[in-house]
Amino acid sequence: MTVLVLMENNEASLQTLTLARKFGEPLRAVHMEAVQPFAPDAIAAILAMVADDLDVSSVFAAGTDRGNDVMARLAARTGLPFAANCIAAEPVDPVTVVRQRWGGSLLEDALLRAPRALVTVPPYALRVTDAPAPIDVDVKPYLTRIEPADLQVQVTGHVVAAGGGVSLAEARVVVSGGRGVGSKEGFAIIEELAGLLGGAVGCSRVVTSAGWRPHSDQVGQTGTKIAPDLYIACGISGATQHMAGCKGAKRILAINADAEAPIMQNADYAVVGDLKEIVPAISAEIRKLK
Amino acid sequence: MVLTADNMSLETRHLGFTMSPHEECGVEEAVRLIEANGGESVVLTLGPPEAIEQLRDAMALGVDRAIHLQTDGAEWDPEGTAAAILDAVRADEATSGTFDLVFFGNESADSGGYQVGLRVARALGRPAVTGLKGVKVEGGSVRCEQEADGGRDVYVVPMPAVLTVKEGLNLPRYPSVPGRMRAARKPVAASTPARPPACLELVRLVVPPGQGRRAELLGSGAAAARAVVEMLRSVGLL
């Protein structure tokens, strides 16, 4: 059984191969860069043609923004069901999947009744396994068969993010503030600690709703999903939707006035007390070392 | 998270419902576009009778009228959801004219299918751009900004179009008291579409096992700073 994989140049795509291999070998690959600039309908059109020509049993992609986008377009144009963000799947009839809901805070056992399974795998859920790389499909013949309508939606430009600094999604350390920080100005101590650790500043949803920080700093289900070595959550209670954004962190340090806050059940380390005293004290202690 | 006895849904008896963050930004964007350009905005949901509350919330923000596709609370799969919305959009357009823009949340907060808006767009034969953090109408086109690679990718598509949006697109307003009073009188067209068999069929929900973390208490107050720094050194961050 041949399996088709939509590959991006990222770790999530390598993790996707782990699940795709359960559905058969060889794996064949079409790359997200096949059409430049990016045109999601054109990639979906190529996948549809290749899937038919190779008579593949299933199509996999990483559950990234682009992966889910293109796979949903493939599903829409072929009339097939599509299971997004699966952390497990079995190639039985019908296919069984375990999907993430609520950004991974809840799982769903489901049946995928389809002649061809379309599945994405969320980042950080599976390990990369050591196995042969998929074989690239020669997409040249397919490029000439793309209809003009499939190039109507195509990237025409790129706006570079203002700012600089360490990117929230890629920082090794994220120091994040919640309601407990109290104000826009209160974030000065959060910024200071993040700076000393070479990390990025994050925040919870209540902070962006209050206008204290831009939405680009928000960690959570509807913000940025992060996987740093250390996440320092200051004055954040740890609502499910927040934890969906930081559960990829290797370690979590919670600084909170409430020892019973939900975040304490999800943290590795805790300090109880007033973050306005604790955070500057940690910064001062780090300065002594430097 | 607590499940119902049959493991088919979340136990919500003691919870309130709200519009999801992505959709709230879609509503806000629609209201702003109409304020700036004139016209009419319509809000649509597929959900149980209680979902009327979220429709009223949207109308309190400034949306003109609502379409409520009522369910009995049972799970609808993404294809069934898209088909019902498609039928409703087509029926409304047959009498009220084509929507220049149809907004969807990029993905639903609960089931996270990532596909309903794109399925509706395909069936309508309209261009669709997803995950938007910026929307600007320019003549007969719409300029779309989507977060990508430390910045934003830009797309320009002709209208009518389908746009799926994310939280952060705008900062939604709070409903005013007069807004709420007006919303109570705005029209809601309710219907009860039939639920088709699911191709992606929910079998049961499962609360994932806890991450097994039990926080090690490093101390209380500012006196804990030294222990925190020790921890930072032990894990190689200092």
Side-chain angles (χ1 to χ4, degrees):
Chain A
M1 287 296 248
T2 307
V3 174
L4 182 59
V5 187
L6 173 61
M7 294 295 288
E8 293 174 80
N9 189 16
N10 58 26
E11 192 77 5
S13 290
L14 300 177
Q15 294 160 1
T16 300
L17 299 178
T18 302
L19 192 57
R21 285 196 184 95
K22 289 182 78 171
F23 281 67
E25 309 254 11
L27 296 183
R28 302 296 304 270
V30 167
H31 291 263
M32 197 70 94
E33 298 80 29
V35 179
Q36 291 290 352
F38 178 60
D41 289 312
I43 301 291
I46 292 172
L47 289 175
M49 291 187 278
V50 172
D52 280 346
D53 288 354
L54 300 181
D55 193 23
V56 305
S57 67
S58 45
V59 185
F60 283 79
T64 56
D65 287 341
R66 284 190 171 179
N68 281 326
D69 177 321
V70 171
M71 290 291 276
R73 289 175 200 263
L74 173 63
R77 72 164 54 226
T78 55
L80 290 167
F82 159 45
N85 293 338
C86 299
I87 62 167
E90 294 294 334
V92 289
D93 187 20
V95 168
T96 59
V97 297
V98 181
R99 290 186 58 237
Q100 289 186 342
R101 289 190 166 219
W102 290 103
S105 304
L106 190 62
L107 299 175
E108 164 193 337
D109 289 343
L111 301 174
L112 182 58
R113 300 183 195 282
R116 177 173 290 151
L118 308 185
V119 173
T120 60
V121 178
Y124 313 130
L126 301 179
R127 284 172 201 277
V128 176
T129 46
D130 194 19
I135 303 157
D136 286 350
V137 173
D138 177 13
V139 294
K140 270 197 217 91
Y142 296 101
L143 292 175
T144 58
R145 290 164 59 190
I146 294 171
E147 304 280 342
D150 290 326
L151 293 168
Q152 197 173 33
V153 177
Q154 184 164 31
V155 173
T156 55
H158 188 79
V159 181
V160 179
V166 184
S167 129
L168 181 59
E170 279 146 37
R172 278 185 73 201
V173 181
V174 173
V175 186
S176 211
R179 190 192 300 272
V181 175
S183 67
K184 191 175 197 164
E185 295 71 32
F187 269 84
I189 57 173
I190 305 291
E191 283 174 356
E192 181 190 26
L193 179 57
L196 285 166
L197 292 170
V201 173
C203 69
S204 65
R205 183 161 184 256
V206 65
V207 168
T208 43
S209 295
W212 299 346
R213 302 290 298 184
H215 186 270
S216 51
D217 283 359
Q218 185 176 315
V219 173
Q221 187 180 333
T222 52
T224 303
K225 296 186 179 75
I226 58 172
D229 287 346
L230 177 67
Y231 184 60
I232 305 181
C234 309
I236 292 177
S237 64
T240 305
Q241 290 87 342
H242 185 76
M243 300 314 295
C246 66
K247 64 182 158 51
K250 281 208 191 98
R251 300 175 190 85
I252 296 177
L253 163 63
I255 300 174
N256 208 292
D258 178 6
E260 305 298 318
I263 191 138
M264 297 301 194
Q265 269 78 62
N266 290 296
D268 304 272
Y269 310 101
V271 176
V272 179
D274 184 357
L275 71 92
K276 294 185 185 75
E277 293 169 10
I278 297 164
V279 173
I282 296 169
S283 294
E285 200 68 30
I286 293 171
R287 281 221 172 78
K288 281 188 204 165
L289 299 173
K290 295 195 171 178
Chain B
M1 288 189 154
V2 180
L3 303 180
T4 52
D6 63 359
N7 290 327
M8 292 299 273
S9 57
L10 280 174
E11 177 56 76
T12 55
R13 270 182 299 179
H14 306 295
L15 301 175
F17 287 88
T18 59
M19 209 185 308
S20 297
H22 295 332
E23 285 80 352
E24 199 180 350
C25 287
V27 166
E28 174 67 30
E29 198 67 20
V31 171
R32 289 185 190 186
L33 283 169
I34 298 306
E35 285 170 348
N37 301 289
E40 185 194 36
S41 56
V42 182
V43 62
L44 179 153
T45 196
L46 174 94
E50 302 89 280
I52 184 78
E53 295 301 324
Q54 281 69 57
L55 295 175
R56 294 278 177 215
D57 288 347
M59 290 189 288
L61 297 178
V63 172
D64 298 303
R65 59 184 173 92
I67 299 171
H68 190 177
L69 307 178
Q70 284 192 1
T71 70
D72 59 5
E75 175 88 5
W76 283 56
D77 84 337
E79 284 178 276
T81 304
I85 293 173
L86 174 67
D87 287 347
V89 169
R90 281 187 172 146
D92 199 273
E93 290 189 337
T95 55
S96 304
T98 303
F99 293 107
D100 296 300
L101 293 172
V102 181
F103 287 101
F104 286 84
N106 186 65
E107 84 279 2
S108 55
D110 52 357
S111 58
Y114 286 85
Q115 57 194 274
V116 170
L118 288 168
R119 286 188 187 275
V120 172
R122 177 84 194 172
L124 291 171
R126 295 178 196 172
V129 195
T130 64
L132 302 186
K133 293 282 183 88
V135 171
K136 197 173 169 202
V137 171
E138 296 173 335
S141 299
V142 57
R143 182 182 190 275
C144 306
E145 291 188 7
Q146 177 189 65
E147 261 179 7
D149 305 332
R152 288 176 171 195
D153 282 337
V154 179
Y155 301 77
V156 180
V157 295
M159 296 191 289
V162 173
L163 308 180
T164 85
V165 302
K166 282 192 176 184
E167 187 183 43
L169 171 66
N170 51 44
L171 196 55
R173 69 193 72 185
Y174 289 101
S176 63
V177 173
R180 287 218 171 275
M181 290 169 69
R182 276 195 295 276
R185 294 190 299 270
K186 288 178 178 174
V188 179
S191 61
T192 50
R195 180 165 60 101
C199 293
L200 178 60
E201 185 186 337
L202 172 66
V203 176
R204 73 181 72 82
L205 298 175
V206 182
V207 177
Q211 312 229 8
R213 285 171 167 151
R214 230 174 103 193
E216 177 191 338
L217 189 64
L218 298 179
S220 299
R226 193 164 293 175
V228 170
V229 169
E230 270 313 303
M231 180 274 288
L232 292 172
R233 293 177 76 159
S234 73
V235 301
L237 290 169
L238 279 180

